[in-house]
């Protein structure tokens, strides 16, 4: 087999939460480009369906847009059920939906704390376990959770205690699920991006500060996460589980 064939996702069915924009959409583009059918799930169902249509036309694959609130167990179960009915399987799940609320800890309300934890950590747990149950029944699969370099370091100067705590939790959740499901042929890994130039943060006032602290002196591009995403989703990564891949331009090294 040609080594590049191992990175193919032809015939695979891939779910991406937070898939309507940013990092999630780029994961979906990478999967579609590698031959997979994709389901984009997002709180913005209209945008998810719009982007799914674009992927279908651009790559000649089956794509669906699904509306979901990842903090709702019922909606997450319906998302997985709907994808399984449309596509027959769930081979890969990118648990990617997330938010950040940058407020000093002494000013943060309990509702604000819970919102970040509920989406970033509980949402990953709900999505991973719902998709994982399908994978266990079908004989295997790959789950990739979006963590963050903020699960390893405390970012400055912005205050984001809830975000940092939630992403550290995602990393440990990933390791825990990987060990629990190792004998069930379900791999679980996480990707910890550094500062990535998505549309949501273009023009942010702190970009000069962040780039000044980076050894590469620049932000990352969403496309620069696609290689590791394909590795983890494909047969190229069959012995990789329980790992967290930090893709941050060496930001956490200094």
């Amino acid at each position: 087999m040609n080594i590049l064939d191992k990175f193919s996702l032809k015939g695979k069915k891939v779910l991406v939460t937070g898939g309507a924009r940013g990092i999630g959409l780029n994961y979906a583009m990478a999967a579609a480009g590698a031959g997979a059918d994709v389901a984009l799930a997002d709180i913005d169902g209209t945008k998810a369906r719009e982007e799914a249509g674009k992927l279908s036309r651009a790559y000649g694959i089956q794509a669906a847009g699904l509306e979901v609130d990842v903090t709702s167990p019922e909606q997450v179960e319906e998302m997985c059920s709907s994808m399984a009915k449309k596509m027959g399987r769930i081979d890969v799940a990118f648990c990617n939906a997330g938010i950040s609320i940058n407020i000093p800890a002494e000013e943060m309300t309990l509702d604000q704390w819970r919102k970040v934890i509920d989406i970033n950590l509980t949402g990953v747990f709900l999505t991973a376990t719902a998709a994982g149950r399908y994978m266990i029944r079908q004989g295997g699969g790959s789950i990739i959770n979006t963590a963050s370099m903020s699960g390893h370091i405390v970012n400055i100067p912005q205050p984001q205690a809830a975000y940092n705590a939630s992403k550290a939790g995602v990393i440990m959740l990933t390791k825990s699920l990987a060990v629990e499901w190792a004998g069930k042929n379900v791999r679980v890994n996480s990707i910890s991006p550094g500062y990535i130039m998505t549309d949501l943060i273009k023009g942010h006032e702190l970009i000069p500060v962040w780039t000044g602290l980076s050894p590469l002196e620049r932000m990352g591009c969403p496309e620069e996460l696609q290689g590791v995403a394909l590795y983890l989703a494909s047969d190229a990564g069959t012995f990789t589980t329980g790992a967290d891949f930090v893709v941050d331009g060496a930001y956490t090294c200094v």
Side-chain angles (χ1 to χ4, degrees):
M1 175 186 290
N2 186 310
I3 184 62
L4 294 180
D5 292 339
K6 291 187 177 182
F7 289 86
S8 173
L9 294 179
K10 189 173 179 60
K12 300 290 187 182
K13 315 299 179 182
V14 176
L15 171 67
V16 186
T17 65
R21 54 180 52 83
I23 289 172
L25 181 56
N26 271 269
Y27 288 157
M29 292 169 63
D37 295 324
V38 297
L40 306 182
D42 201 278
I43 191 72
D44 186 345
T46 300
K47 178 70 170 172
R49 289 185 287 272
E50 176 187 334
E51 294 297 338
K54 292 179 182 177
L55 289 180
S56 181
R57 292 187 294 273
Y59 296 98
I61 50 92
Q62 181 183 2
L66 307 172
E67 185 170 334
V68 66
D69 176 351
V70 296
T71 69
S72 165
E74 295 78 15
Q75 290 190 36
V76 171
E77 288 291 343
E78 176 57 29
M79 170 188 68
C80 290
S81 176
S82 178
M83 178 180 175
K85 288 175 183 176
K86 290 177 184 290
M87 299 186 176
R89 298 170 59 86
I90 304 176
D91 295 299
V92 180
F94 286 95
C95 307
N96 171 74
I99 64 165
S100 180
I101 299 177
N102 294 343
I103 295 176
E106 73 274 15
E107 299 174 13
M108 177 168 270
T109 67
L110 183 56
D111 284 345
Q112 289 168 331
W113 167 270
R114 283 176 171 162
K115 183 175 182 178
V116 174
I117 298 299
D118 284 351
I119 294 174
N120 292 9
L121 180 54
T122 306
V124 169
F125 170 76
L126 292 174
T127 304
T129 52
R133 284 189 284 271
Y134 279 89
M135 294 177 182
I136 290 168
R137 289 196 294 268
Q138 70 195 19
S142 176
I143 293 171
I144 302 110
N145 301 323
T146 299
S148 173
M149 70 174 182
S150 304
H152 297 268
I153 61 166
V154 177
N155 305 66
I156 57 171
Q158 69 275 21
Q160 52 180 56
Y163 183 82
N164 297 348
S166 71
K167 293 302 186 177
V170 168
I171 294 168
M172 185 50 68
L173 173 63
T174 297
K175 294 176 183 294
S176 299
L177 294 178
V179 172
E180 286 194 33
W181 294 343
K184 302 179 188 297
N185 198 33
V186 176
R187 297 185 294 113
V188 189
N189 295 284
S190 59
I191 300 174
S192 284
Y195 288 117
I196 304 297
M197 187 68 80
T198 63
D199 289 340
L200 291 177
I201 66 168
K202 284 181 179 177
H204 196 290
E205 61 182 6
L206 289 178
I207 287 176
V209 177
W210 299 334
T211 55
L213 293 170
S214 171
L216 292 186
E217 298 182 342
R218 69 174 178 88
M219 305 277 286
C221 300
E223 294 83 0
E224 292 179 299
L225 300 172
Q226 292 180 336
V228 67
L230 277 183
Y231 168 74
L232 293 174
S234 70
D235 288 344
T238 50
F239 195 57
T240 303
T241 192
D244 176 63
F245 286 74
V246 180
V247 186
D248 69 346
Y251 192 98
T252 56
C253 296
V254 294

